[in-house]
Amino acid sequence: VIDDVALAAADRTVSRAVRRTPLLPVHGLDRPLWLKAENLQLTGSFKIRGAFNRLSALSAPERAAGVVAHSSGNHAQAVAYAATLLGIQATIVMPETATAFKIQRTREFGGQVVTAPFAEYRGHAEELARSSGRVLVPPFDDDLVIAGQSTVGTEILAALEHEGVEPASATVLAPIGGGGLLAGVATAVKRRSPATRVVGVEPELAGDAQESLRRGRRVEWKPTDTIRTIADGLRTTCLGARTWEHIAAYVDDIVTVSESAILDAVGFLVAQAHLVAEPSGAVTTAGYLSRLELLPGDGPVVAIVSGANTDIESLVGLLGRDGRR
Amino acid sequence: VIDDVALAAADRTVSRAVRRTPLLPVHGLDRPLWLKAENLQLTGSFKIRGAFNRLSALSAPERAAGVVAHSSGNHAQAVAYAATLLGIQATIVMPETATAFKIQRTREFGGQVVTAPFAEYRGHAEELARSSGRVLVPPFDDDLVIAGQSTVGTEILAALEHEGVEPASATVLAPIGGGGLLAGVATAVKRRSPATRVVGVEPELAGDAQESLRRGRRVEWKPTDTIRTIADGLRTTCLGARTWEHIAAYVDDIVTVSESAILDAVGFLVAQAHLVAEPSGAVTTAGYLSRLELLPGDGPVVAIVSGANTDIESLVGLLGRDGRR
């Protein structure tokens, strides 16, 4: 697993480029809730941390050649912008099913976007990288990416101390797609503050990580199942080999949340915290709101609000569904 | 006007209780835009700063007696919560027309809410304060309230320096209702950094402050005019005597924005900055988006996003109107 040297190196590298996002308290709850607002991060999600850490480690020839990535979501914008910051050309292969909003955003962040049919876009990116000798920037299953995401955990510990909250009393919630954020955060938190609980949260409809932790081995779900969750950033069907190793070593538990709990959480974040989150970014808040009795410890809960990239029409649709219940 | 001693005292007092809200950059604009996110402040608006500074100055007998305030908006929650923090009982007189959401929030923050007909609620609060010998906490026209709001300006200067932006190159935009925030921010900014421009922004439909600055004297508008703006926190018909004195001394200019520009700005903040703002909190962003050519200077613009207190149905309504255009 990642060691303290790699964690410290990531802290130094990543803090040069990304924002130290605020840790915001939510008022009026019996058990204190703090929100780590990665939805306010550059590019609208935590993904910039891992992408920047990975790209910073490229050799001079690798930088000169440019990089390739495939993504239907936040990884696209993150790689595009991290590459722009480092003066590297990035080609992002996105599925034709990606929204015009996400494609436009990726271009705005400096990425050269290529689209391909959904069934082929990953393979297309791999082929493009291979044929052109460019590095393919992995979305999660890579120690440098995991170390980049770990900086969220480091910032949470520092912010809790700054607020006068004992980190050992806290329970930290991270969402799980491929597991990069949870793996990084758990590693950073547990190596510095072993008593702090770290819990993953995923949709019931994409509960492969919870099943994996229960069985003690990586379990794969069918894409026809995971596609059903509204949390489109968390539809990954299986943890990565590298993320799994860190999650198995450091994570205390994984809880799942219902689709209606996710919608409620999007509305709660708007009304109570004045933050816009995409459904994938709201699952940790859904974990607090709907699974509090399952969370270990009885101290403050830190929910990582991991991303915000949604267009207004989608948000209005989500809030309308929430508000009419 | 407020002197440097009063400004420094407010910085010390207010920083003990309120959040240092983030200064967030918006990506992809030709002229840099930074958002001072007071919508993420405790109670959802900057108003807690002035209320806390005013209540902190009460004598022991005044504290023991409790306080009274009248408000249809963010001042209600701010006084309620500032009083709770200081162990003071607060009675808030709200108009019967206030939304259930705002009344409930005020109660959640510890205020005892009394309602009265819209035409009478201010008078009712004044009578209640007089008859019971309690202090009436003014919403804006008070030097301690203005000094409390000035801490937003102090934080902006510090944050710009932290980000490597020369404060002298910046133009700071503050919304105008009764003028407390603009008066405080202008005083703090101009006394520390005279070259920084400070500009007020108000709805065209409540343009009394712009007209006052043009004429060189306080001008009052009719409530039947100002009621028409969607920015319900900025419907005040006239600047206060104290706020006017500071605004006349320190503010560079005042611009007005249209109703459609305000709606556009609410949507822009959601989509581009992932922040929920009420219309009154979005007017400065509207100033940037629709009046850029009127703003002095050509450097970075700082827009104070002053508040966020809106319920989900209202936000969906606002975004829907924006999205359908």
Side-chain angles (χ1 to χ4, degrees):
Chain A
V1 297
I2 296 169
D3 63 13
D4 294 344
V5 174
L7 292 175
D11 288 336
R12 279 193 307 275
T13 300
V14 172
S15 64
R16 283 193 290 119
V18 313
R19 300 198 67 73
R20 177 174 286 265
T21 53
L23 186 70
L24 302 165
V26 180
H27 188 83
L29 300 167
D30 290 335
R31 187 168 172 184
L33 173 64
W34 296 83
L35 304 172
K36 175 63 170 170
E38 282 291 293
N39 59 326
L40 304 181
Q41 186 53 267
L42 298 171
T43 72
S45 88
F46 71 95
K47 289 272 188 183
I48 184 74
R49 297 172 184 264
F52 189 82
N53 200 48
R54 180 68 188 80
L55 292 184
S56 295
L58 294 179
S59 67
E62 286 171 333
R63 290 186 187 218
V67 297
V68 177
H70 56 75
S71 170
S72 61
N74 291 330
H75 182 57
Q77 297 170 51
V79 172
Y81 192 53
T84 297
L85 290 173
L86 292 164
I88 299 170
Q89 193 278 332
T91 300
I92 317 291
V93 184
M94 301 182 75
E96 288 166 354
T97 52
T99 61
F101 173 80
K102 290 195 172 177
I103 291 173
Q104 181 199 331
R105 276 296 181 86
T106 304
R107 290 194 168 123
E108 284 173 6
F109 284 114
Q112 185 185 336
V113 175
V114 173
T115 59
F118 184 80
E120 301 166 21
Y121 80 101
R122 292 186 191 82
H124 183 75
E126 287 161 8
E127 176 52 30
L128 186 63
R130 198 160 36 229
S131 64
S132 62
R134 286 183 276 177
V135 167
L136 185 74
V137 186
F140 54 83
D141 205 26
D142 177 285
D143 280 9
L144 281 162
V145 173
I146 295 170
Q149 321 303 25
S150 81
T151 59
V152 176
T154 307
E155 289 184 15
I156 288 171
L157 292 177
L160 286 172
E161 287 183 3
H162 179 76
E163 297 283 353
V165 177
E166 171 55 53
S169 72
T171 300
V172 176
L173 308 183
I176 315 172
L181 180 61
L182 177 62
V185 167
T187 305
V189 168
K190 286 292 192 176
R191 289 181 75 100
R192 276 86 173 251
S193 175
T196 305
R197 273 82 49 192
V198 179
V199 175
V201 185
E202 64 186 346
E204 287 170 6
L205 296 177
D208 59 290
Q210 185 189 57
E211 187 180 338
S212 298
L213 198 68
R214 298 272 183 277
R215 292 178 186 261
R217 62 176 175 78
R218 274 201 297 160
V219 172
E220 184 161 5
W221 281 32
K222 293 198 199 81
T224 47
D225 288 330
T226 64
I227 190 84
R228 295 174 301 157
T229 180
I230 195 166
D232 56 359
L234 310 181
R235 290 174 180 159
T236 317
T237 55
C238 191
L239 294 169
R242 301 301 309 140
T243 58
W244 164 245
E245 187 172 332
H246 292 82
I247 288 169
Y250 290 119
V251 168
D252 291 287
D253 200 4
I254 293 173
V255 299
T256 62
V257 291
S258 70
E259 296 297 294
S260 71
I262 296 171
L263 286 172
D264 284 343
V266 172
F268 175 90
L269 288 168
V270 163
Q272 303 293 324
H274 317 308
L275 296 175
V276 175
E278 60 190 283
S280 305
V283 294
T284 51
T285 303
Y288 173 93
L289 294 173
S290 69
R291 295 287 191 239
L292 198 57
E293 76 286 358
L294 297 181
L295 300 182
D298 55 6
V301 174
V302 177
I304 302 173
V305 181
S306 56
N309 287 316
T310 180
D311 55 277
I312 288 183
E313 276 132 63
S314 302
L315 180 72
V316 166
L318 294 171
L319 294 176
R321 285 164 68 174
D322 180 69
R324 274 199 297 275
R325 261 205 308 281
Chain B
V1 298
I2 297 170
D3 62 13
D4 294 344
V5 174
L7 292 175
D11 288 337
R12 280 193 306 276
T13 298
V14 171
S15 65
R16 285 193 288 120
V18 314
R19 301 199 65 75
R20 179 174 283 266
T21 52
L23 186 71
L24 302 164
V26 180
H27 189 83
L29 300 167
D30 289 335
R31 185 167 173 186
L33 173 64
W34 296 83
L35 304 171
K36 174 63 170 170
E38 282 290 294
N39 60 326
L40 303 180
Q41 185 53 267
L42 297 171
T43 74
S45 89
F46 72 95
K47 288 273 188 182
I48 184 74
R49 297 172 184 264
F52 189 82
N53 200 47
R54 181 68 188 79
L55 292 185
S56 295
L58 294 179
S59 67
E62 286 171 333
R63 289 186 187 218
V67 297
V68 177
H70 56 75
S71 170
S72 61
N74 291 330
H75 182 56
Q77 297 169 51
V79 172
Y81 192 53
T84 297
L85 290 173
L86 292 164
I88 298 171
Q89 193 278 331
T91 301
I92 318 292
V93 184
M94 301 181 76
E96 287 165 355
T97 51
T99 61
F101 173 81
K102 290 196 171 173
I103 291 174
Q104 181 200 331
R105 275 298 182 82
T106 304
R107 292 197 167 119
E108 285 172 5
F109 283 116
Q112 185 186 334
V113 176
V114 174
T115 59
F118 184 80
E120 301 165 21
Y121 80 102
R122 293 186 189 83
H124 184 73
E126 286 161 9
E127 176 52 30
L128 185 64
R130 198 161 34 229
S131 64
S132 63
R134 287 182 275 177
V135 167
L136 186 74
V137 186
F140 53 84
D141 204 27
D142 176 285
D143 279 9
L144 282 162
V145 172
I146 294 169
Q149 322 304 25
S150 80
T151 59
V152 175
T154 308
E155 290 183 15
I156 288 170
L157 292 177
L160 287 172
E161 287 184 4
H162 179 77
E163 297 284 353
V165 177
E166 172 54 54
S169 71
T171 300
V172 176
L173 308 184
I176 316 172
L181 180 61
L182 177 62
V185 167
T187 306
V189 168
K190 286 292 192 176
R191 289 182 75 98
R192 276 87 173 248
S193 175
T196 305
R197 274 81 49 194
V198 178
V199 175
V201 185
E202 63 186 347
E204 286 170 6
L205 296 177
D208 59 290
Q210 185 188 59
E211 187 181 338
S212 298
L213 198 68
R214 297 271 183 278
R215 292 177 185 261
R217 61 174 176 81
R218 274 200 298 159
V219 170
E220 183 161 5
W221 280 33
K222 293 198 198 84
T224 46
D225 288 331
T226 64
I227 191 83
R228 295 174 300 156
T229 179
I230 195 166
D232 56 0
L234 310 181
R235 290 173 181 160
T236 316
T237 54
C238 190
L239 294 169
R242 301 301 309 141
T243 58
W244 165 246
E245 188 173 331
H246 292 83
I247 289 169
Y250 290 120
V251 168
D252 291 288
D253 200 4
I254 292 174
V255 300
T256 62
V257 293
S258 71
E259 296 296 295
S260 70
I262 297 171
L263 285 172
D264 283 344
V266 171
F268 176 90
L269 288 168
V270 163
Q272 303 293 325
H274 316 309
L275 295 176
V276 175
E278 59 190 283
S280 304
V283 293
T284 51
T285 303
Y288 174 93
L289 294 173
S290 70
R291 295 287 190 242
L292 198 56
E293 76 286 359
L294 297 181
L295 301 182
D298 55 6
V301 175
V302 177
I304 302 174
V305 181
S306 55
N309 287 315
T310 181
D311 55 276
I312 289 183
E313 276 131 62
S314 302
L315 181 71
V316 166
L318 294 172
L319 294 175
R321 285 166 66 175
D322 180 69
R324 274 199 295 275
R325 262 205 308 283

